[in-house]
Amino acid sequence: LDPNFAANGYYYIFYTANSPLRDRVSRFTASGNTTVPGSELVVWQDNVDAGFWHHGGTVAFGPDGKLYISTGDHFDGNPGPAHVSQRLDSYHGKILRVNSDGTVPTNNPFYDGAGPNLDAIWALGLRNPYRFSFDPPSGRMYIGDVGSNSIYTSIEELNLGVAGANYGWPICEGTCTTAGMTNPFFSYAHNGRDACITAGFVYHGTQF
């Protein structure tokens, strides 16, 4: 929901359109319990056709009033720096940051105007960050990044969202010694099954 939903009725959805076959974030306008016909405004859309897997899909407003979007790597098989998650000319494997109307803030870390970078990119090096959340009391972003399919090396990551951070995929998983990479806040071995990270919410109570 838009931070001003009570006044403007705006809500935002991440979905994969059929034609063109693109991942998309759109704004719609609610009226009571229905949606105003024809109210869709495309806020962001991928520039290439969608793959079968790893679409990401979370949208959330940050404390700064900007809209953040997580995108997966669409199961790209290229190694190292050639991988879409490491490239600034691909939206895949990223956290994006846009204004609520789809324009791009000029203070995004890789903003270069007419240059080759996709200006909406805020952080990179992620595999499939299909869930992230903001912790309201601290304002911190927690990103759950799902580990690889390997039964031997798969590491699930909980990353702190930082502007301009490179979380390493596919160069490394978990704690990484490669220069320029941001290590996870917390990580654990997937162990081949039943341990996929989903991120979530920070508990501030005293019950547990």
Side-chain angles (χ1 to χ4, degrees), residues 57-127:
T58 294
V59 290
F61 279 91
D64 57 0
K66 307 302 182 184
L67 186 65
Y68 291 77
I69 304 163
S70 68
T71 62
D73 70 357
H74 290 239
F75 222 69
D76 181 61
N78 290 309
H83 193 276
V84 291
S85 296
Q86 290 295 317
R87 289 167 33 197
L88 294 175
D89 62 352
S90 171
Y91 286 119
H92 297 175
K94 310 293 194 303
I95 300 293
L96 311 178
R97 177 178 180 259
V98 299
N99 296 313
S100 61
D101 62 359
T103 57
V104 178
T106 57
N107 63 349
N108 275 3
F110 304 106
Y111 186 95
D112 65 353
N117 296 347
L118 295 174
D119 295 332
I121 295 173
W122 187 78
L124 69 154
L126 295 160
R127 183 173 183 264

Side-chain angles (χ1 to χ4, degrees), residues 11-105:
Y11 66 94
Y12 299 78
I13 292 178
F14 184 114
Y15 73 99
T16 304
N18 184 52
S19 181
L21 184 64
R22 303 288 171 88
D23 285 346
R24 174 185 291 177
V25 174
S26 285
R27 188 187 79 192
F28 296 85
T29 303
S31 177
N33 290 328
T34 64
T35 296
V36 175
S39 65
E40 179 176 10
L41 171 71
V42 177
V43 172
W44 168 81
Q45 182 170 281
D46 202 349
N47 57 5
V48 297
D49 285 354
F52 287 113
W53 305 285
H54 293 189
H55 293 253
T58 294
V59 290
F61 279 91
D64 57 0
K66 307 302 182 184
L67 186 65
Y68 291 77
I69 304 163
S70 68
T71 62
D73 70 357
H74 290 239
F75 222 69
D76 181 61
N78 290 309
H83 193 276
V84 291
S85 296
Q86 290 295 317
R87 289 167 33 197
L88 294 175
D89 62 352
S90 171
Y91 286 119
H92 297 175
K94 310 293 194 303
I95 300 293
L96 311 178
R97 177 178 180 259
V98 299
N99 296 313
S100 61
D101 62 359
T103 57
V104 178

Side-chain angles (χ1 to χ4, degrees), residues 133-151:
S133 63
F134 285 98
D135 176 41
S138 68
R140 296 201 294 183
M141 175 198 281
Y142 293 92
I143 307 165
D145 196 20
V146 178
S148 67
N149 289 2
S150 170
I151 64 172

